[in-house]
Amino acid sequence: MLRARIRSGVLRAGERMPTQARLAEEFGVERGVVRRALGILHSEQLLTQVSKGAPAKVAADPGRALTGPAAPPVPTMVGLAPRIAAAFAAEQVEVDAVCLTSISLNLALGEPLRQIHAGRLKPAKIDVRILLPSRNIDLAFPVPVDGRHRDDTDTVHRRWLLQRNAQGQVLKHNLLALRATHGVDVRVSFRALPFTPPVKLYLLNGAEALFAYYTLSRREAEIGQERLEMYDAEGIQSLLFAFEQGASLRDTTFVEQSHLWFNALWETISSELALLN
C-alpha cells in the first residue's frame, strides 16, 4: 500500500512519510514490521533518509526506482529476490508459483531465509503452493533439437526431472526447517500440471503478481558423457513484469485474474505430485 501511494502521487516526491508509530497504528502491525517495510522501500530507492530519527522522505524522483511494480522489467534472477524478501516481511506469507523447475524461486528464497535466521524477519505463517509439469507428459521444452531419437528424448527428460525434483526437495526442506528453528507454521504443497507452462508466475501475499515468458533458444548441454543440442529456456534470465494490487485498475485486475487462473489449475486439472526420480 505504501508503494502504491508513492507511485500514485498520494505521497509526493520529497514529502515526509508518516511516523513509524502512525503507520503501525494504521496497518495494525508492530513497529518492527513498519521498519522492515520502510527499509525495503529505501532499498528500492523510493525513500530517502530512513533512520531511527526523523520520518523518512519520499525520493525526489520515485519513478526512477530500481525495483517494484512500476520499474522496468528485469531478469528474474535480479527482480524476484527483493520481491520475495518484501513478501516475507509480512506476518502471514503466501507464495503461489507456476514454473518449470522452481530454480529461480529457490535462489530468491535465500535472502529472506537468511534474514529469518538472523532475526530480522519474523513471519508467523508461511504457505507456499507450487505448480510444476508432471513427469508423465511429453514436455514442450526442454527437448532435443532432433527429437526423433527416443533415447535422446529420454535423456533430456530425465535431466529435467532430476532438476525439478532436486529443486523442489531443497525448497521444501529449507522452508520446513523453519518449524524447528523458529517455530514458524509452514506448509509447502506441490501439484503436477498436465502441460508445460509457457510462462512463469509468482503470486505474493495476494497483493502482487510477477510474470515472465519462457523464451526458448537453441543451446548445447552436456548430459552424462554426451553433448546434446536442445531447445530450452533460461528461466532465471526471463524478464519479470510486476503488477501490484491497488497500483492501478490494470494492475489490480491482472493480480485478481492471475489468482483465479492459479486456483482454477490447482483445484481442477492438476494432480498430486511426488518429488521422486
Side-chain angles (χ1 to χ4, degrees), residues 8 10 22 27 39 95 106 127 138 149 157 165 169 232 244:
S8 65
V10 173
R22 283 185 59 189
F27 292 106
V95 178
N106 246 339
D127 190 354
D138 290 331
H149 303 297
H157 189 278
N165 292 345
Q169 289 167 353
D232 199 4
E244 184 179 30

Side-chain angles (χ1 to χ4, degrees), residues 114-210:
R114 283 191 291 271
Q115 293 193 36
I116 290 172
H117 291 305
R120 291 191 290 271
L121 293 178
K122 299 179 181 180
K125 183 177 181 181
I126 300 172
D127 190 354
V128 176
R129 300 188 298 172
I130 303 176
L131 286 167
L132 297 166
S134 168
R135 63 179 296 162
N136 300 319
I137 64 172
D138 290 331
L139 291 172
F141 61 89
V143 291
V145 170
D146 182 359
R148 291 174 296 177
H149 303 297
R150 187 62 193 175
D151 289 345
D152 288 349
T153 303
D154 288 343
T155 300
V156 173
H157 189 278
R158 179 71 174 172
R159 175 176 177 268
W160 163 80
L161 183 61
L162 289 171
Q163 289 179 337
R164 186 203 73 170
N165 292 345
Q167 292 294 327
Q169 289 167 353
V170 169
L171 185 150
K172 187 173 184 178
H173 170 78
N174 288 342
L175 287 173
L176 292 181
L178 297 176
R179 288 179 179 172
T181 58
H182 297 277
V184 182
D185 180 8
V186 179
R187 183 175 65 174
V188 183
S189 308
F190 297 88
R191 288 187 68 81
L193 291 170
F195 61 88
T196 309
V199 299
K200 53 171 32 178
L201 175 71
Y202 307 95
L203 303 171
L204 310 180
N205 293 346
E208 192 169 356
L210 306 172

Side-chain angles (χ1 to χ4, degrees), residues 227-247:
R227 301 193 68 82
L228 290 175
E229 290 282 332
M230 67 175 66
Y231 294 120
D232 199 4
E234 287 287 348
I236 60 175
Q237 297 301 327
S238 300
L239 289 181
L240 201 64
F241 297 83
F243 301 83
E244 184 179 30
Q245 189 144 27

